[in-house]
Amino acid sequence: MQNNFEIMRNCPLFQGIDDESLSRMLTCLGAKREKFEKRNDILSEGGRAKDIGIMISGEAQEVRLDYLGNRSIISEISSSEVFG
């Protein structure tokens, strides 16, 4: 995780926190890194979000499907942004 500290410091949750404190916080919070393949769901609408995420690299889209199956992009999530 330490090689991602620069990106995480750009996240509003961790701005102004030194490396040692950030490392302790991530350990205390049980942080883990997950990789998602393109076109795979990270969370599903209406599902219970148990965690929050910070996008380390790549991008994701928040998508809403309506009753007829029409797909609408609600927002895009980029590096150092929080989601969940």
Side-chain angles (χ1 to χ4, degrees), residues 3-79:
N3 55 346
N4 299 314
F5 280 9
E6 188 66 36
I7 294 166
M8 293 169 73
R9 271 201 250 33
N10 290 327
C11 174
L13 285 175
F14 300 118
Q15 282 182 341
I17 296 175
D18 62 83
D19 286 356
E20 183 180 337
S21 297
L22 181 55
S23 181
R24 288 194 315 245
M25 289 174 71
L26 294 174
T27 299
C28 183
L29 294 169
K32 61 185 180 229
R33 185 174 180 155
E34 293 189 39
K35 183 177 182 177
F36 297 90
E37 296 299 323
K38 193 173 188 174
R39 302 207 188 287
N40 284 3
D41 291 342
I42 298 172
L43 297 169
S44 296
E45 183 178 4
R48 186 170 171 230
K50 297 179 280 183
D51 302 309
I52 65 166
I54 300 171
M55 184 68 62
I56 298 298
S57 66
E59 294 181 338
Q61 295 176 333
E62 183 179 356
V63 177
R64 176 165 289 143
L65 295 176
D66 68 15
Y67 182 73
L68 300 173
N70 297 312
R71 183 176 179 265
S72 300
I73 298 172
I74 305 301
S75 67
E76 292 191 0
I77 303 161
S78 300
S79 180

